[in-house]
Every structure is written in structure tokens, then in C-alpha cells.
Amino acid sequence: MEEEDDDEHRRQRVSHSRLVMQAVGQIFKPRRAANLDRKRERQGLLPEKKITVSLRMLAYGASADQVDKITMMGKSTVLESLMRFCSAIEALNNNEYLRKPMTIDLRRLLKKGEM
């Protein structure tokens, strides 16, 4: 009986000392400062700048390497903005200008060519 009481007492001391050590560890644990919300926006490149790059490449036949040095944009960003610009223009004009010519259109063009 006495041995069982000693074992129980020893377990309580061990669990108590373990809890004390965990609490001390939490107190002295170095903590990071909380992140402050400074209400800042991470702005990327302006859309106007991307459009200007695309127009410059199309108008002057400039390569992506030439344009990225001038505008301080990455080559991949320049190429991506060019592809997006071209696909947007194509989507806007697809129904009217990129359709197959109809017979009325062919007659009008042939008449214009004869004149």
C-alpha cells in the first residue's frame, strides 16, 4: 500500500514539474511581433504601361528585349501583355472583321477593284 502511494506521489510530482517547465518555456519563449495592417496595396504595373509596351512592339516592330529595358518590365511580362492585348483586340473585332466574306462583300470588293 505504501509503495502504491509513493508511486502515485512520484507521478504527480513529475506531471506537476512537467507542467511547470512547459509554463516556464512559454514565458521565456521568444515571440515574433504581430504583423501590423498598414493598409497598403501592392500595386503592380499600370495597365496603361502594358498597353503602351504592346503598341510599341506592334508599331515599331521592337523585340521584347528592347522594350523591357526601356520600360523596366520583365521580358515575360512584356510578352504576356502583348498576347493579352492581341487576344482582346481579336475578341472585340472577331464578329465584324474576321468572319468569312459573304457574297455581298465579294461583289462590293470586286466593283471597288474595277473602279
Side-chain angles (χ1 to χ4, degrees), residues 14 24-25 29 31 50 67 78 94 99 102 111:
V14 169
V24 168
K29 186 176 181 181
R31 295 185 184 186
K50 291 180 180 180
V67 176
V78 170
N94 195 17
R99 63 178 170 82
M102 299 166 71
K111 195 181 267 187

Side-chain angles (χ1 to χ4, degrees), residues 87-104:
S87 62
I89 296 298
E90 184 180 324
L92 287 173
N93 298 314
N94 195 17
N95 293 336
E96 187 175 348
Y97 296 106
L98 298 178
R99 63 178 170 82
K100 291 184 178 179
M102 299 166 71
T103 55
I104 298 170

